[in-house]
Amino acid sequence: MSTSKSVGRLATRPWAASTSSSSSAASSSTRVAVAQRRNVSSSSVRSAPSTEVERSGVSSYEPVSSPASHLPRLARQDPELYAAVRPPPLATFAALTSRLGLLPAGTDAETRDRRVQLVYQACTHPSFQTLVDKVNASTLAATDNASASGLVRNRADNKAALDAKQFLGSSVLIQEVQHHAALCTVGNSLLGMLASEFLHLRYPNLPTRALKAAVAAFVGPQTLSDVGLSLGLGGQGVLRWNKEARVPKPKNYVTRSGKSAVGLPDRTLLSRDVGADAMRALVAVVFQELGLSAARRFVTSHLLNRKLDLAKLLKFLDPKRALSQTCAKYGKDLPQSRIIAESGRLSISPVFVVGVWSGATKIGEGSGTSIKMAEFRAAEDALRRLYLTETPLGDFDLPSTTLDTIYAGASSPLPTSTSSSSSASYNPQPIGDTEVLEAAGKSRH
């Protein structure tokens, strides 16, 4: 019985296989025939209109306008140059202008636009002109090539094709860039004047060299760059400059080997230099629009109120000799050194505390591992106490306050309280001996 079942199974398998193969072949032939009929019908449908158009002699091609998101030619040819010359949003400069106090409540539209444009100019370095020249050159070349090949066609509205538009989606070429060179010069002079008079009256006994170093520390390039970053100049695309520009080294630059900067190759323009120039230009913008009083408040609040250890600026080769000359200059008794305390004189690490007296007045104190070192530090302490004597802020008047009524700003008058205080007379400080030139440091000659 089992044998007959197996034989039956073997007998039925070839028949089933032949049946399935024949059915698959039939279905495939049917699909091929249907596809051929579709191709024939589509080709006949396509060929009929073309035959009719050829007979009529009229072209059926209609130009399709470029999409609105089509990039300018410059963005496709040189993306880095396009990103460098593309300005940031207007809201960025409007926020920066408001942060500087140039957009108070009630400012009219004309004044607002002018001040935003001035801030935009203050953030543009003269090296940006090189990038604009490259854009103009590429725009002219692309326009000439397109015109020669017939790609630029005038449409019904007499506008060029979108593919021919270049700089910022406009075919208008910018010949000259409004940069901050002139504003930077004015701002640098203002910063030097305001910082010098403030520090000189704040520290009347400070030597000239230390005063110059203090002015450079308060309103120098590094400080201006840091303050500019805190105000928002470090934003994307706010400072507009050529990162490949080269500038000559300063005349007072000296290499490690002692050689001067004459004949040395130019250095790369750094973002720190551009930020410092932009801050100088912004000070000039504040002075031009709001007046000298507002510029003084801006410089004082952002720069001159910073903490600086002026004691590190005072270096003495022979402080004992300088202290003796200073006491003689002011008509005081000659300084005398006395040991105040000592510990471990015969040990490996002794400590001596020495004080300096001028008559009955103690003017300095210092400590050291030897009596000579303690005397040296005591004389330095006495000189620092003299040179770093501070005048309270309310006890002196700045000379530039007499000019507040003359330079009151271009369009915004000063408040009543500021005008009344600026019209007050200036009380100059008495002229006297304020510093010691000899033995105060290295000679310039």
Side-chain angles (χ1 to χ4, degrees), residues 242-254:
N242 184 11
K243 298 181 180 180
E244 299 179 357
R246 308 281 297 181
V247 293
K249 294 183 179 180
K251 296 181 180 179
N252 57 352
Y253 177 81
V254 179

Side-chain angles (χ1 to χ4, degrees), residues 226-242:
D226 295 341
V227 174
L229 291 177
S230 64
L231 289 176
L233 295 182
Q236 180 68 28
V238 175
L239 295 178
R240 304 170 62 74
W241 55 293
N242 184 11

Side-chain angles (χ1 to χ4, degrees), residues 199-218:
L199 294 175
H200 177 64
L201 295 176
R202 179 71 169 168
Y203 305 95
N205 298 329
L206 199 63
T208 303
R209 298 178 187 176
L211 179 62
K212 291 181 178 180
V215 171
F218 276 103

Side-chain angles (χ1 to χ4, degrees), residues 207-397:
T208 303
R209 298 178 187 176
L211 179 62
K212 291 181 178 180
V215 171
F218 276 103
V219 295
Q222 185 64 47
T223 304
L224 292 176
S225 178
D226 295 341
V227 174
L229 291 177
S230 64
L231 289 176
L233 295 182
Q236 180 68 28
V238 175
L239 295 178
R240 304 170 62 74
W241 55 293
N242 184 11
K243 298 181 180 180
E244 299 179 357
R246 308 281 297 181
V247 293
K249 294 183 179 180
K251 296 181 180 179
N252 57 352
Y253 177 81
V254 179
T255 61
R256 295 182 179 179
S257 59
K259 297 181 180 180
S260 61
V262 179
L264 295 179
D266 297 341
R267 64 178 180 87
T268 305
L269 182 63
L270 304 178
S271 59
R272 179 187 63 186
D273 303 329
V274 179
D277 290 343
M279 276 299 300
R280 298 186 184 101
L282 290 177
V283 171
V285 171
V286 174
F287 167 73
Q288 175 180 335
E289 294 297 320
L290 302 181
L292 181 58
S293 179
R296 186 187 303 108
R297 290 195 301 268
F298 177 80
V299 173
T300 303
S301 60
H302 288 87
L303 298 170
L304 300 181
N305 281 344
R306 292 174 170 262
K307 297 295 183 180
L308 177 64
D309 188 9
L310 297 179
K312 297 181 180 180
L313 303 178
L314 298 174
K315 301 295 182 181
F316 304 98
L317 296 179
D318 192 353
K320 295 177 63 176
R321 180 167 173 261
L323 182 59
S324 299
Q325 292 180 353
T326 303
C327 292
K329 190 174 187 178
Y330 285 97
K332 304 295 182 180
D333 296 336
L334 293 179
Q336 295 181 357
S337 301
R338 302 172 187 174
I339 297 179
I340 299 176
E342 63 174 285
S343 175
R345 179 186 285 264
L346 301 179
S347 65
I348 194 174
S349 57
V351 177
F352 298 92
V353 180
V354 175
V356 179
W357 275 262
S358 176
T361 305
K362 181 182 178 181
I363 59 177
E365 181 179 331
S367 62
T369 57
S370 64
I371 298 178
K372 187 176 181 180
M373 181 185 296
E375 288 180 343
F376 187 93
R377 292 178 177 176
E380 278 188 336
D381 181 64
L383 291 173
R384 289 194 179 100
R385 288 173 183 267
L386 171 64
Y387 291 149
L388 299 181
T389 301
E390 296 186 29
T391 305
L393 292 177
D395 293 352
F396 62 89
D397 297 328

Side-chain angles (χ1 to χ4, degrees), residues 3-273:
T3 306
S4 61
K5 289 182 179 180
S6 61
V7 172
R9 292 174 184 174
L10 293 175
T12 56
R13 284 179 183 175
W15 180 82
S18 61
T19 305
S20 61
S21 60
S22 60
S23 61
S24 61
S27 61
S28 61
S29 60
T30 305
R31 287 196 296 268
V32 170
V34 172
Q36 291 177 354
R37 286 196 298 270
R38 289 179 179 176
N39 293 336
V40 170
S41 60
S42 61
S43 61
S44 61
V45 171
R46 293 176 183 174
S47 60
S50 62
T51 306
E52 295 177 358
V53 170
E54 290 177 358
R55 292 176 181 176
S56 61
V58 180
S59 175
S60 63
Y61 173 75
E62 295 181 0
V64 181
S65 60
S66 302
S69 60
H70 185 65
L71 291 176
R73 186 188 300 273
L74 179 62
R76 290 181 277 115
Q77 292 181 350
D78 196 344
E80 295 182 358
L81 180 60
Y82 179 77
V85 299
R86 187 176 184 182
L90 179 62
T92 303
F93 286 98
L96 179 59
T97 307
S98 178
R99 203 175 297 121
L100 296 174
L102 295 173
L103 294 180
T107 305
D108 57 313
E110 182 180 358
T111 304
R112 182 186 66 244
D113 296 341
R114 185 183 71 253
R115 291 179 178 178
V116 171
Q117 183 64 30
L118 284 174
V119 173
Y120 179 80
Q121 178 181 350
C123 296
T124 305
H125 194 266
S127 62
F128 186 70
Q129 181 68 48
T130 307
L131 299 179
V132 175
D133 293 341
K134 291 182 180 179
V135 173
N136 294 339
S138 61
T139 302
L140 291 175
T143 305
D144 294 341
N145 295 335
S147 301
S149 59
L151 295 179
V152 180
R153 300 176 182 177
N154 294 330
R155 300 194 178 180
D157 53 355
N158 294 328
K159 292 183 179 180
L162 184 60
D163 189 59
K165 294 183 179 181
Q166 298 293 326
F167 182 57
L168 300 178
S170 174
S171 59
V172 180
L173 301 181
I174 301 177
Q175 300 297 336
E176 185 177 358
V177 175
Q178 298 294 331
H179 51 75
H180 63 207
L183 293 174
C184 181
T185 303
V186 176
N188 189 38
S189 301
L190 286 171
L191 287 171
M193 180 190 69
L194 296 176
S196 298
E197 66 175 5
F198 178 83
L199 294 175
H200 177 64
L201 295 176
R202 179 71 169 168
Y203 305 95
N205 298 329
L206 199 63
T208 303
R209 298 178 187 176
L211 179 62
K212 291 181 178 180
V215 171
F218 276 103
V219 295
Q222 185 64 47
T223 304
L224 292 176
S225 178
D226 295 341
V227 174
L229 291 177
S230 64
L231 289 176
L233 295 182
Q236 180 68 28
V238 175
L239 295 178
R240 304 170 62 74
W241 55 293
N242 184 11
K243 298 181 180 180
E244 299 179 357
R246 308 281 297 181
V247 293
K249 294 183 179 180
K251 296 181 180 179
N252 57 352
Y253 177 81
V254 179
T255 61
R256 295 182 179 179
S257 59
K259 297 181 180 180
S260 61
V262 179
L264 295 179
D266 297 341
R267 64 178 180 87
T268 305
L269 182 63
L270 304 178
S271 59
R272 179 187 63 186
D273 303 329

